[in-house]
Amino acid sequence: MNDGNLLTDHPELYEQRFPDPDHLAARWAEDTLRRHGAGPRVLDIGCGTGRDAAWLHRRGGRRVTGIDTAETMLAHARRRHPGPDYHRADMRHFELGRTFDAVLCLDSALLYCHTNDDLAACLAACRRHLAPGGLLVAEMRNGAFFLGHTELLDGPRTASFDQDGTTHTSRTGLWIDHGAQLLRRRRVWTADDGSPPREQHSAWRLLFPQELRYFLTLAGFEVLALHDGPGPRTEPPWREGDLPHGTARSDRLHLVARLQLHDHPTPDSRHSNGDTTQ
């Protein structure tokens, strides 16, 4: 049966399936923010269960706001990871009535902008909510990786984990929708408690480094860093003191961009002049 997203519907399972006991993602984000001189006000787009937002709020000494579209995730975040200010909002069209010193998009959150218009709208919303000179920090899959590598597409992958005496097993297949420039995923969950299988479908935009630079420039950002590692999901993962590499060949991409202080045409203004290229 096709029944939503098991991990989004059950955030405690998400944290069990993707544990981060050392808060690697949040520590990497804090290190990046600190190295680039970001102020204390941070917006976490696609905050999910709130683990990273709460660590940055509590341990990083920052004032964090998190947004997500899944109310189940937000309810879990408020209950289990309090501190940040959590809101339900769409990353393409949010209006929070305040500005921030930095915007975070971790764990490929930016790639849920599937179309050019989606991405332009998200970057325009980020620009509206950033103080002059504010930072955009993102971590995501790297579209360029798939130009020469197919190992992630070579067949279904199976993974299992235990939660409260029940073993949950996922069987996941990935394929590329070339026309839409999307990495599509079909995942089927089964459990040994007799519950029926659950099937879910999702997709990520495959953005290439030069394409990403282009969109950011249109949105009024200056790219400060764009590299493949190390980061919280690389192999080997980032460690304290690691500096970024200069390549973009691996399966993760890490971005740091600064909002330019001078006026610059935005993607919205480009579209208003009649350019609606997809």
Side-chain angles (χ1 to χ4, degrees):
M1 61 183 296
N2 192 334
D3 192 17
N5 188 320
L6 178 70
L7 299 185
T8 300
D9 294 343
H10 300 86
E12 68 282 356
L13 292 183
Y14 179 94
E15 293 191 339
Q16 185 75 14
R17 173 63 183 87
F18 300 109
D20 189 7
D22 297 325
H23 300 283
L24 193 61
R27 287 167 44 223
W28 173 83
E30 172 59 25
D31 180 77
T32 302
L33 294 171
R34 187 172 60 249
R35 281 191 295 107
H36 290 276
R41 302 168 300 170
V42 174
L43 173 62
D44 184 2
I45 294 179
C47 64
T49 66
R51 286 187 306 192
D52 301 329
W55 191 95
L56 288 166
H57 190 91
R58 183 178 63 255
R59 299 289 298 275
R62 300 186 182 273
R63 300 195 299 274
V64 183
T65 297
I67 65 171
D68 204 285
T69 57
E71 187 55 50
T72 51
M73 288 287 207
L74 293 169
H76 177 92
R78 295 182 186 109
R79 183 175 65 254
R80 297 292 300 274
H81 303 290
D85 188 14
Y86 295 110
H87 296 268
R88 187 175 185 182
D90 189 311
M91 66 189 300
R92 299 165 298 179
H93 308 295
F94 60 93
E95 293 290 349
L96 302 176
R98 69 189 84 164
T99 58
F100 300 89
D101 301 304
V103 171
L104 293 179
C105 290
L106 303 179
D107 199 21
S108 295
L110 192 65
L111 303 187
Y112 286 104
C113 295
H114 288 176
T115 69
N116 290 347
D117 283 344
D118 287 344
L119 182 57
C122 178
L123 293 178
C126 290
R127 175 175 176 152
R128 290 194 303 271
H129 287 79
L130 277 172
L135 290 181
L136 171 62
V137 176
E139 181 270 334
M140 68 198 88
R141 288 184 179 274
N142 180 14
F145 173 77
F146 293 93
L147 292 176
H149 301 83
T150 62
E151 56 261 38
L152 296 180
L153 311 173
D154 286 342
R157 296 170 181 262
T158 301
S160 298
F161 68 96
D162 293 326
Q163 172 76 9
D164 296 331
T166 298
T167 299
H168 299 269
T169 300
S170 64
R171 184 175 175 84
T172 303
L174 299 172
W175 71 97
I176 295 178
D177 181 340
H178 292 84
Q181 205 170 310
L182 295 176
L183 179 66
R184 295 194 180 274
R185 180 181 71 187
R186 175 181 179 267
R187 175 173 285 167
V188 178
W189 286 99
T190 56
D192 61 2
D193 61 358
S195 58
R198 297 183 61 169
E199 180 178 331
Q200 67 181 74
H201 297 265
S202 54
W204 298 271
R205 172 72 177 266
L206 289 179
L207 286 171
F208 296 88
Q210 287 295 84
E211 179 185 24
L212 188 54
R213 288 181 183 275
Y214 174 76
F215 275 98
L216 286 159
T217 300
L218 282 178
F221 288 89
E222 176 191 3
V223 176
L224 304 179
L226 190 61
H227 58 88
D228 56 7
R233 288 186 175 271
T234 60
E235 289 295 337
W238 172 86
R239 298 177 300 178
E240 298 285 351
D242 282 348
L243 295 176
H245 299 161
T247 67
R249 299 178 57 187
S250 300
D251 63 337
R252 307 302 292 189
L253 196 61
H254 308 83
L255 163 73
V256 183
R258 189 181 303 280
L259 183 63
Q260 298 186 75
L261 299 180
H262 57 79
D263 292 334
H264 196 285
T266 67
D268 284 348
S269 66
R270 170 175 167 265
H271 291 166
S272 68
N273 288 332
D275 188 346
T276 57
T277 301
Q278 290 294 304

